[in-house]
Amino acid sequence: MSQWKPVCQLDDIPPLGSRIVADAEGDIALFRDSGTQVFALRDRCPHKGGPLSQGIVHGAGESTRVTCPLHGWHIALNSGEACAPDVGCAKKFAARVENGTVWLEA
């Protein structure tokens, strides 16, 4: 059975922006598309470990991506997968928004 924990308010994450949530295994980056959809990935690019939370968020809905600030890799936020021709994956976490609160699956 999964457990969910509240981590912030949706308004704490700017549209096309990010916020970091501390985790014992490494920071988790929360990303927001231009609307109200939120995605959560480990805050490490699969290429060289760059901080994805400092990247540029672009796109909308399920095609929202972040561009790693170190080497320009594009990472799909709905899966954590690097976009072709690059290969690799950032760990994805389940996130949801309910009544303006962002929840992460523990």
Side-chain angles (χ1 to χ4, degrees):
M1 186 164 115
S2 67
Q3 292 188 334
W4 292 81
K5 65 178 182 176
V7 292
C8 68
Q9 294 299 303
L10 178 63
D11 290 341
D12 293 337
I13 309 169
L16 298 177
S18 65
R19 176 188 169 110
I20 294 174
V21 173
D23 181 69
E25 295 178 29
D27 289 341
I28 297 171
L30 300 176
F31 300 94
R32 181 176 171 182
D33 70 1
S34 58
T36 60
Q37 192 165 5
V38 173
F39 306 90
L41 299 177
R42 178 73 61 209
D43 193 24
R44 286 182 50 85
C45 179
H47 177 225
K48 299 242 179 180
L52 293 175
S53 61
Q54 295 178 22
I56 297 171
V57 179
H58 48 94
E62 293 301 312
S63 64
T64 306
R65 299 176 179 182
V66 63
T67 299
C68 178
L70 294 185
H71 300 102
W73 278 36
H74 290 214
I75 308 297
L77 294 180
N78 66 337
S79 66
E81 293 285 333
C83 300
D86 299 318
V87 178
C89 187
K91 182 176 180 183
K92 179 182 180 265
F93 297 87
R96 72 177 193 232
V97 178
E98 206 172 276
N99 297 320
T101 300
V102 178
W103 296 75
L104 275 180
E105 188 171 25

